[in-house]
């Protein structure tokens, strides 16, 4: 299968990329890992006039700590996240999700930033980022740097608030002092979309009560769904089996899965409940560990 | 666009449209038909090649992206005319039935045993989890990769 013909440019500096985006705007797609974009181009769901390959840029593949955040830059691959000691030490939800992104071959090219910017409603990273209150950093030639909270970045399926002139340069999550997280994913086989995915994140205060909570769901709504009501039910309370069951009940009620080859709506809704309980339990264990 | 790709240690300069996929340049322009096309939708992994030593799906990479980079295909596995230990092990352990997935399985296996000289069955199954064998001959594929690791360990 072949995409429609396009202009291909592979600049070596970020400034050149930003210039092209400023000048050609909406007809341009940025190529990072390409593991979602190239299949879409081959199916001709996407037909950009110009493809800007950013893989020749240097200094854009770090995963590190910057200004109180764990930062993942635009060219860090999923496999880099899997192998990252910084991620393992800093963010349980990301560390737990990374090995379940796509398959090993796709993980070698695909990027976390690209996955978030693509916003496939069945993508795993967007849920993890919603649970962890991530921010997306975008740059443009004329607008400089813009920091966008993840909830405002993800607008709807395959739709974000990124402007056509902007380049996503990093996705970052706040560091936490005492906390833990988890990602539960049910898939039919490695590389398939999630039947159900649940990202959870908990932070505890000195007394052991929940000071911050994140719950977000994959593949059971029209887009990745942050379950704010369930999060609010947790915050301010001491963690308990009953409390987690209540949050799980709220999450199951909030989702709106469709029946398909991966399972019935009723089944998926119950998996959301079970995974939310399991995820919160695992998050608490990580926070207390 | 004129691009130069090092394939199995030899520089190849070809003139390609940007939309041409790496797998098609390898097969139709360079005649290296050991890299197969299966699903053509980033699912099956039979088009796996090593890009600067890393296994990737060559149906999901434009050839222009490989300009100036090194690609290794199954044709590049043998060393000084002898079978690579992974090839010898697939032969010995009957690691193939129809053979369609075999080049990809061997390339992935060769990288695994370099990175992890003593892989467990789980390690091997995890490493090949992006590669489908529709004969479902996984048991012998796993055995072959394990045998290759043992062969390399015994000879070093």
């Amino acid at each position: 299968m072949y995409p429609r013909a396009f202009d291909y440019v592979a600049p070596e500096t970020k400034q050149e990329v930003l210039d092209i985006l400023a000048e050609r705007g909406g007809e341009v797609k940025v190529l990072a890992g390409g593991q979602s974009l190239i299949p879409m181009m081959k199916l001709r769901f996407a037909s950009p006039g110009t493809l800007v390959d950013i893989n020749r840029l240097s200094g854009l593949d770090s995963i590190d700590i910057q200004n109180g955040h764990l930062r993942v830059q635009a060219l860090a691959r999923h496999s880099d996240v899997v192998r990252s000691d910084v991620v393992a030490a800093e963010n349980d939800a990301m560390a737990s999700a990374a090995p379940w992104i796509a398959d090993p071959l796709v993980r070698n090219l695909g990027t976390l930033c690209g996955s978030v910017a693509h916003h496939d409603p069945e993508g795993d990273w967007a849920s993890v980022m919603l649970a962890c209150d991530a921010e997306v950093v975008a740059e443009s030639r004329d607008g400089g740097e813009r920091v966008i909270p993840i909830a405002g970045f993800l607008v709807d399926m395959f739709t974000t608030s990124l402007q056509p002139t902007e380049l996503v340069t990093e996705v970052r999550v706040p560091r936490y002092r005492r906390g833990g997280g988890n990602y539960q994913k049910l898939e039919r086989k490695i590389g398939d979309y999630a039947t159900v995915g649940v990202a959870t994140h908990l932070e505890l205060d000195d007394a052991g009560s929940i000071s911050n909570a994140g719950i977000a769901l994959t593949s059971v709504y029209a887009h990745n769904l942050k379950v704010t009501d369930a999060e609010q039910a947790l915050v301010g309370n001491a963690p308990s089996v009953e409390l987690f069951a209540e949050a799980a009940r709220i999450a199951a009620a909030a989702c709106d899965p469709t029946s398909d080859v991966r399972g019935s709506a009723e089944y998926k809704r119950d998996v959301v409940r079970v995974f939310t309980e399991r995820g919160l339990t695992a998050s608490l264990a990580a926070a207390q560990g | 666009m004129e691009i130069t790709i090092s394939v199995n240690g030899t520089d190849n300069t070809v003139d390609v449209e940007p939309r041409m996929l790496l797998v098609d340049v390898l097969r139709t322009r360079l005649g290296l038909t050991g890299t197969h096309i299966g699903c053509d939708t980033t699912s099956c992994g039979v088009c796996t090649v090593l890009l600067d030593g890393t296994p990737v799906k060559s149906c999901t990479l434009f050839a222009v992206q490989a300009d100036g980079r090194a690609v290794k295909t199954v044709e590049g596995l043998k060393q000084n005319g002898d079978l690579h230990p992974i090839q010898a092990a697939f032969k010995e352990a009957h690691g193939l039935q129809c053979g369609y997935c075999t080049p990809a399985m061997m390339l992935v296996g060769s990288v695994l045993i370099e990175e992890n000289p003593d892989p467990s069955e789980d390690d091997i199954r995890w490493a090949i989890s992006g590669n489908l064998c529709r004969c479902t001959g996984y048991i012998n594929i796993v055995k072959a990769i394990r045998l290759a690791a043992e062969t390399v360990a015994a000879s070093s």
Side-chain angles (χ1 to χ4, degrees):
Chain A
M1 292 184 292
Y2 270 78
R4 289 204 177 85
F6 53 85
D7 286 340
Y8 173 84
V9 279
E12 295 190 350
T13 67
K14 188 164 69 182
Q15 193 55 51
E16 289 172 83
V17 173
L18 298 182
D19 284 344
I20 293 163
L21 288 169
E23 285 153 20
R24 302 194 198 179
E27 60 141 336
V28 182
K29 284 296 276 186
V30 171
L31 176 67
Q35 300 301 284
S36 295
L37 178 59
I38 295 175
M40 288 191 87
M41 290 173 66
K42 288 168 70 178
L43 293 166
R44 303 202 175 192
F45 291 153
S47 296
T50 301
L51 203 56
V52 182
D53 182 353
I54 62 170
N55 287 282
R56 313 240 166 213
L57 303 189
S58 54
L60 206 59
D61 59 358
S62 291
I63 300 174
D64 56 15
I65 303 298
Q66 288 273 328
N67 305 319
H69 288 81
L70 167 59
R71 169 180 84 155
V72 179
Q73 287 190 298
L75 289 175
R77 315 288 162 174
H78 303 304
S79 55
D80 296 328
V81 182
V82 173
R83 284 193 290 259
S84 167
D85 294 336
V86 180
V87 171
E90 288 284 331
N91 190 292
D92 300 314
M94 286 173 62
S96 136
W100 297 103
I101 305 299
D103 68 44
L105 304 163
V106 168
R107 286 200 293 275
N108 283 337
L109 284 177
T111 65
L112 184 154
C113 288
S115 171
V116 170
H118 181 59
H119 195 202
D120 188 315
E122 295 177 310
D124 299 293
W125 279 130
S127 291
V128 176
M129 295 304 134
L130 283 166
C132 294
D133 290 325
E135 294 170 333
V136 177
V137 180
E139 279 184 48
S140 64
R141 185 185 70 184
D142 303 324
E145 187 176 283
R146 190 162 74 101
V147 178
I148 311 154
I150 188 74
F153 182 81
L154 304 171
V155 175
D156 205 342
M157 60 166 81
F158 299 112
T159 308
T160 69
S161 59
L162 190 73
Q163 297 302 302
T165 53
E166 287 178 321
L167 171 72
V168 172
T169 56
E170 67 183 69
V171 171
R172 63 193 193 188
V173 294
R175 300 181 77 184
Y176 49 86
R177 195 168 60 83
R178 189 181 177 203
N182 183 261
Y183 191 65
Q184 300 271 323
K185 182 177 182 180
L186 176 67
E187 58 184 4
R188 296 178 303 172
K189 59 171 278 293
I190 297 286
D192 192 15
Y193 286 112
T195 302
V196 174
V198 177
T200 50
H201 174 73
L202 290 177
E203 290 174 40
L204 304 178
D205 63 21
D206 290 337
S209 290
I210 297 167
S211 57
N212 187 23
I215 299 175
L217 315 178
T218 310
S219 288
V220 289
Y221 200 77
H223 50 78
N224 302 78
L225 183 66
K226 184 174 173 69
V227 193
T228 314
D229 289 350
E231 295 172 350
Q232 285 171 353
L234 294 168
V235 172
N237 291 305
S240 70
V241 171
E242 295 75 23
L243 184 69
F244 289 172
E246 173 63 7
R249 192 193 59 73
I250 296 170
C255 70
D256 185 21
T258 51
S259 295
D260 61 17
V261 67
R262 295 184 177 87
S264 68
E266 185 188 10
Y267 169 68
K268 292 180 186 178
R269 190 185 295 279
D270 205 43
V271 174
V272 168
R273 183 185 63 78
V274 172
F275 275 11
T276 305
E277 280 195 55
R278 279 187 199 166
L280 289 170
T281 304
S283 299
L284 178 64
Q288 291 173 335
Chain B
M1 283 180 68
E2 192 165 276
I3 58 170
T4 300
I5 308 174
S6 164
V7 181
N8 302 327
T10 305
D11 278 352
N12 291 272
T13 300
V14 284
D15 188 25
V16 298
E17 270 194 78
R19 61 178 171 165
M20 193 161 195
L21 298 164
L22 178 61
V23 66
D24 289 318
V25 168
L26 293 172
R27 288 177 58 84
T28 65
R29 302 294 287 278
L30 304 181
L32 297 171
T33 53
T35 306
H36 296 162
I37 299 174
C39 68
D40 207 5
T41 55
T42 327
S43 302
C44 76
V46 303
C47 63
T48 300
V49 300
L50 307 187
L51 180 66
D52 292 333
T54 301
V56 300
K57 295 176 182 176
S58 63
C59 82
T60 313
L61 191 77
F62 295 118
V64 287
Q65 293 179 263
D67 186 19
R69 302 182 70 177
V71 171
K72 188 174 189 176
T73 69
V74 67
E75 289 90 346
L77 271 178
K78 71 181 175 194
Q79 300 161 335
N80 305 320
D82 295 328
L83 292 182
H84 184 286
I86 197 91
Q87 293 173 303
F90 268 71
K91 182 181 172 191
E92 175 65 25
H94 305 285
L96 63 152
Q97 291 180 42
C98 82
Y100 206 79
C101 72
T102 312
M105 291 287 186
M106 293 196 302
L107 286 164
V108 169
S110 73
V111 171
L112 173 68
I113 63 176
E114 273 176 34
E115 291 178 351
N116 177 1
D118 185 22
S120 67
E121 180 175 339
D122 273 0
D123 293 337
I124 296 169
R125 287 183 177 272
W126 190 248
I128 62 169
S129 62
N131 297 85
L132 294 181
C133 165
R134 283 305 78 176
C135 306
T136 68
Y138 296 105
I139 289 175
N140 282 0
I141 291 168
V142 171
K143 282 182 185 169
I145 295 174
R146 178 65 208 167
L147 175 62
E150 288 166 7
T151 309
V152 171
S155 67
S156 61

